[in-house]
Structures are given as C-alpha cells and as structure tokens.
Amino acid sequence: MAQRWSDDALARLRATSGRGGAARRAVVEYLGRQNCCLSAQEIYDGVRGRGLRVGIASVYRALEGLDRGGLVQRIDLGDGVARFEPVLPGGEHHHHFVCDDCGKVEPFEDPALEVALERIAGGRGYDVEAHDVVLRGACGECR
Amino acid sequence: MAQRWSDDALARLRATSGRGGAARRAVVEYLGRQNCCLSAQEIYDGVRGRGLRVGIASVYRALEGLDRGGLVQRIDLGDGVARFEPVLPGGEHHHHFVCDDCGKVEPFEDPALEVALERIAGGRGYDVEAHDVVLRGACGECR
DNA sequence: CATGTCTTTGAGAACGGGTATCATTATCGT
DNA sequence: ACGATAATGATACCCGTTCTCAAAGACATG
Ligand SMILES: [Zn+2]
Ligand SMILES: [Zn+2]
Ligand SMILES: [Zn+2]
Ligand SMILES: [Zn+2]
C-alpha cells in the first residue's frame, strides 16, 4: 500500500513536472513508508540518515509538488511546524489528536464526523475541497 | 457582550497576574470589540491606530496571558500566522472557512458538527478540551 | 503626596521555519 | 556522447514570534 502510494506519486509527479530527480524520489519513498504526518525536518533527517545527500530545500520543493498534486496533505497542528502525510487513493483519511502536555500526536478516524463535515460542505455557498480537524487535550497517559 | 468580555478578561488577568498595565488593557479592549479572529499584527495596527504607543511584544504577551487563561482561542488557518479571538462564556463558538483563492475568512456555526465532535471526545481514552476545524475551498465569489 | 519595590512595557536583537537565489549537477531526448 | 534544460544543495534571506534589558509604570506603605 505504502509502496503503491510512492510509485503512484512518483509517476504523477513525473507527468506534471517533466523530469525525475534523486531528491524527490528519496522524499517520496521515505514518506510512503510512514502512516502519519512528518515535518519537513523529520523527513530531511530521515532521508539523510540513510546516507543520501539531500538538501532541505529539495525536501520542501518535493513536498510543494506533492501538495499541488493533491498527493500529500499539509497538516497544521498549531506548533508553527507544517507536517505532511500521504493522501491515500479513495479519500480515506484520518485526523489528529494532540496532547497539550506531552505533545504526542495520535491519528483517529470517525465516520460520523466525516458525515457532519460533508453536510456542511453541501449546505453553504462554499465549494469545500478539504477540511482540517485537530483535537486537543490530555492523552491517556498524561491526564 | 463584547464589553462584557473585555471587563471579565481584564478582571481575570489581574487576578492571576498581579498588576494591570496599559498595553494589556488596550489589547483586551480592542479584541473585545471584534467578533472574529485577528492576527497579532492586526491587533498591533489597530491599537496603534488609536494613538497608543504599544509594542508588538506586549501584544504577544497579552495574547499569551489570555490564551493561558482560556480567555482567547488561538486559531491557525495554515498561512503561518496565528490568529486570536475572544472565547465567549457558555462555550458558544464558531469555526472558519478559508477561501484558497482570495484568502477570505468566514466564520460558520454548525450544531451537528459540534455534536459529532462531542461524541469523539467522549468515546476515546483522551480528555479532549478543545477542537479546531478549518474548511478550505472556493468561496461564493471565487468559484 | 513621596518613596521604594516589584511588574510591565517598548525597542530591538535573536530565533526558527520556510522560501528565494544561484552556481553546479543530473536528466533525457536526440 | 551531446546539449538543452530541469533539478539539486548550500546558503542568504524573509518574516512571524520570542527573548533581552533598560526604562517607565503600578501599587503598597508611611
Ligand atoms: Zn496522521
Ligand atoms: Zn475528515
Ligand atoms: Zn472567528
Ligand atoms: Zn466547535
């Protein structure tokens, strides 16, 4: 599945952006191995940890391309650091709970929430294309 | 109502922080007059526009104190700028729609969404104290 | 009101995530 | 292999936010 996403993302990027590059490939492959959000710095560290000489600028460039193509979702948890996670085909996705105490980030899914959000999208004069939801509080260990 | 919030916030701040100051008072009074979120810079400009010599650092300090006291909600719309809006007593609040095209921010309320969020809060092992929701897309004028 | 103590304030430096720049390297059709 | 052109990496830069610190203000006391 993850491998599937990486391959698909690389193919899609090549179709829109003309050429392939090593940095972009490294970022996509590293990201495809994750199942929740990572910051650009975390991706940079992870890729570098594998011995690849990749610049932080290339990480941001790859993420920007992935974001424009809808292959990645930009997530803002309120700490001033943007995080990114793969967008799986079919629209299945999750949202995040952040512990105010220890900073832990946990994903969750909730179909009823998605339905409520769908209804809002339909009811207003807006053309809603995406939604962000973040829950805050104390996690099981911290409360 | 707005005046009510300002008075209450100032009283609450004085109770926790010992002394009152002119900058803090100016920020709270300006913020109490608004009904949706403002950035620190907008607050700074607004207060300065009234001829008060207030530093941007004091604006951030006031906002930090208000946030710690739960008197203000920090809102992150994903553009790298934190925004703040008064937290009204009773828990009534709204969320925001952001137009990807023109950048316009519009508030909306949706009881069904709040119910869905409440259910999530109760069902998991978390102790959820707050939630952020942002919808993105094209507004009525831009689509 | 004057004094002294402690807090708040404003200006600007410092910090950090993210972006722009640019010379160099890699890609890929030919 | 060659050459046009896009991608890359190092680093300078931008800008929102926080830190620092001397000066000003607030409050209790006499
Ligand atoms: Zn996630
Ligand atoms: Zn969702
Ligand atoms: Zn609002
Ligand atoms: Zn809500």
Side-chain angles (χ1 to χ4, degrees):
Chain A
M1 176 204 80
Q3 188 60 37
R4 173 93 180 70
W5 177 85
S6 292
D7 293 345
D8 187 46
L10 282 174
R12 204 94 68 87
L13 278 182
R14 179 162 317 190
T16 49
S17 175
R19 274 179 207 183
R24 173 186 299 179
R25 194 179 319 125
V27 169
V28 170
E29 284 177 357
Y30 187 78
L31 205 47
R33 227 169 266 126
Q34 315 298 322
N35 58 349
C36 198
C37 50
L38 290 179
S39 68
Q41 190 66 47
E42 287 169 332
I43 296 168
Y44 174 77
D45 293 341
V47 170
R48 283 244 157 182
R50 306 190 157 235
L52 301 174
R53 203 188 54 167
V54 168
I56 186 75
S58 293
V59 173
Y60 280 108
R61 278 187 289 246
L63 290 171
E64 187 197 347
L66 290 166
D67 189 31
R68 271 208 308 263
L71 296 160
V72 106
Q73 185 189 2
R74 185 187 297 255
I75 291 167
D76 208 317
L77 299 180
D79 61 351
V81 181
R83 289 151 206 268
F84 302 85
E85 75 182 33
V87 169
L88 301 178
E92 66 250 49
H93 65 273
H94 58 251
H95 297 288
H96 299 91
F97 169 84
V98 181
C99 179
D100 286 330
D101 234 352
C102 66
K104 189 168 53 184
V105 176
E106 291 189 29
F108 70 86
E109 291 180 72
D110 191 89
L113 173 63
E114 302 299 331
V115 169
L117 289 165
E118 286 293 326
R119 290 235 176 85
I120 296 174
R124 320 258 160 186
Y126 314 140
D127 183 14
V128 178
E129 291 176 356
H131 58 253
D132 301 341
V133 177
V134 178
L135 303 186
R136 309 180 177 286
C139 72
E141 298 169 7
C142 288
R143 66 175 175 170
Chain B
M1 176 204 78
Q3 187 60 38
R4 172 94 179 70
W5 178 85
S6 292
D7 293 344
D8 187 47
L10 282 173
R12 204 95 67 87
L13 278 183
R14 178 162 318 189
T16 49
S17 175
R19 279 181 199 179
R24 173 186 298 178
R25 194 179 319 126
V27 168
V28 170
E29 285 177 357
Y30 188 78
L31 205 48
R33 228 170 265 126
Q34 314 299 322
N35 58 350
C36 197
C37 50
L38 289 179
S39 69
Q41 190 65 48
E42 287 170 332
I43 296 168
Y44 174 77
D45 293 341
V47 170
R48 283 242 157 183
R50 306 190 159 236
L52 301 175
R53 205 189 53 167
V54 169
I56 186 76
S58 293
V59 173
Y60 279 106
R61 278 186 291 244
L63 290 171
E64 187 197 347
L66 290 167
D67 189 32
R68 270 207 309 263
L71 297 160
V72 107
Q73 186 190 2
R74 186 186 296 255
I75 293 167
D76 207 318
L77 299 180
D79 61 349
V81 181
R83 289 153 206 268
F84 302 85
E85 74 182 34
V87 168
L88 300 179
E92 67 250 48
H93 65 273
H94 57 253
H95 297 288
H96 299 90
F97 170 84
V98 181
C99 179
D100 286 330
D101 235 353
C102 67
K104 188 168 55 185
V105 176
E106 291 188 30
F108 71 86
E109 291 180 71
D110 192 90
L113 172 63
E114 302 300 331
V115 169
L117 289 165
E118 285 293 326
R119 292 234 176 85
I120 297 174
R124 322 257 160 185
Y126 315 140
D127 183 14
V128 177
E129 291 175 356
H131 57 252
D132 301 340
V133 177
V134 179
L135 304 185
R136 307 179 178 288
C139 73
E141 299 168 6
C142 288
R143 65 174 175 173

